[in-house]
Amino acid sequence: WWCWLGTRCGGPPAGPAGTGKTESTKDLAKALGLLCVVTNCGEGMDYQAVGKIFSGLAQRGAWGCFDELNRIDAAVLSVISSQIQTIRNALIMHLKRFHFEGQEIGLDGRMGIFITMNPGYAGRTELPESVKALFRPVVVTVPDLQQICEIMLFSEGFLMAKILAKKVTVLYKLAREQLSKQSHYDFGLRALKSVLVMAGELKRGSPDLNEVKLQSASLETYETHVFWFHCRIGKYFLFG
């Protein structure tokens, strides 16, 4: 936030999927009382579509979080960099109105542009230097899943949160390491969070039921794809 406020350079959190890059940006905007609009970028996006989003953000004074910007074609990113530079110059000069993409629009000084990247993934391109120069890099690492599980289970009302958190994270760790690599397998924080939220719903619906059985039931309810077919033995080994 200080980088954007002082130098008008956005923040580009970069790191593996499911590490909270987008959520951190959204939560920071929420804490500051600002609207944050998330855009999922893809290969089909062109500079005109992105320019329209920039125009709306500038006039509204909202933050824009562009997920996986490095999926956009490198040639398009070069044009996008000039669009961002135009907005940045207007913000530095504290203009109320400026010319953008052939028309004059209003400018709210609270506007901010943030991007997220998953480097090393298939279909991602290297950001041009012209784009990199407009952002201050932020590296995001894999979080402590057990601690997140424990806190979420406590917040959902589980008294055995510490024990259950360890069991769930061990199960996911074993699944991630031992199962074959399939595109539809998801052992990240998103899937884990869904299981914990469902466990909380079951807990509130049956407060007197054994917590270990509740957690096991949440895994059973959340069965998707072939993952739980392979993990059935592991699940019963951990939860009984």
Side-chain angles (χ1 to χ4, degrees):
W1 166 248
W2 175 250
C3 280
W4 179 262
L5 184 65
T7 65
R8 299 300 182 181
C9 291
T19 49
K21 300 183 293 295
T22 304
E23 293 301 320
S24 296
T25 304
K26 288 166 59 180
D27 286 347
L28 179 57
K30 183 178 179 181
L32 295 170
L34 298 171
L35 172 67
C36 183
V37 180
V38 179
T39 303
N40 294 312
C41 300
E43 299 85 350
M45 292 187 70
D46 57 23
Y47 73 93
Q48 294 174 324
V50 177
K52 290 179 180 178
I53 297 173
F54 286 158
S55 177
L57 294 173
Q59 295 176 77
R60 175 63 176 80
W63 280 10
C65 180
F66 294 84
D67 258 354
E68 300 189 59
L69 188 75
N70 55 339
R71 290 180 62 186
I72 300 177
D73 185 77
V76 178
L77 286 175
S78 297
V79 181
I80 291 174
S81 69
S82 66
Q83 293 175 335
I84 298 175
Q85 186 63 60
T86 301
I87 296 172
R88 181 170 180 253
N89 291 337
L91 288 168
I92 291 174
M93 293 187 289
H94 303 289
L95 300 179
K96 296 299 181 183
R97 299 188 67 81
F98 73 112
H99 288 278
F100 183 76
E101 294 296 295
Q103 59 181 338
E104 185 179 338
I105 62 173
L107 177 63
D108 189 318
R110 296 173 298 178
M111 184 238 185
I113 299 174
F114 295 80
I115 63 175
T116 67
M117 297 175 290
N118 295 333
Y121 283 66
R124 276 64 170 180
T125 58
E126 182 68 21
L127 287 181
E129 292 299 324
S130 57
V131 177
K132 291 181 180 179
L134 299 172
F135 295 91
R136 292 293 178 265
V138 178
V139 178
V140 182
T141 59
V142 178
D144 186 343
L145 294 184
Q146 185 171 333
Q147 186 178 26
I148 293 175
C149 284
E150 185 179 336
I151 293 171
M152 284 195 66
L153 287 172
F154 268 127
S155 66
E156 295 286 357
F158 282 81
L159 299 178
M160 300 173 60
K162 196 175 189 68
I163 298 173
L164 293 174
K166 186 172 183 179
K167 288 186 174 185
V168 174
T169 50
V170 167
L171 172 60
Y172 269 71
K173 182 175 181 292
L174 289 173
R176 186 165 52 249
E177 293 175 352
Q178 301 298 325
L179 296 185
S180 60
K181 305 299 180 185
Q182 302 290 336
S183 58
H184 56 273
Y185 284 174
D186 183 6
F187 310 120
L189 185 57
R190 290 188 183 94
L192 187 54
K193 182 181 177 182
S194 299
V195 171
L196 300 177
V197 170
M198 191 166 293
E201 293 176 359
L202 294 174
K203 174 69 174 177
R204 289 187 290 275
S206 306
D208 299 326
L209 196 63
N210 181 276
E211 291 187 349
V212 176
K213 292 183 178 180
L214 275 174
Q215 183 65 69
S216 180
S218 70
L219 290 171
E220 188 80 40
T221 306
Y222 191 68
E223 284 184 2
T224 54
H225 308 300
V226 191
F227 163 53
W228 292 117
F229 175 78
H230 290 290
C231 285
R232 186 84 64 169
I233 297 175
K235 188 189 73 171
Y236 284 117
F237 170 75
L238 290 169
F239 296 103

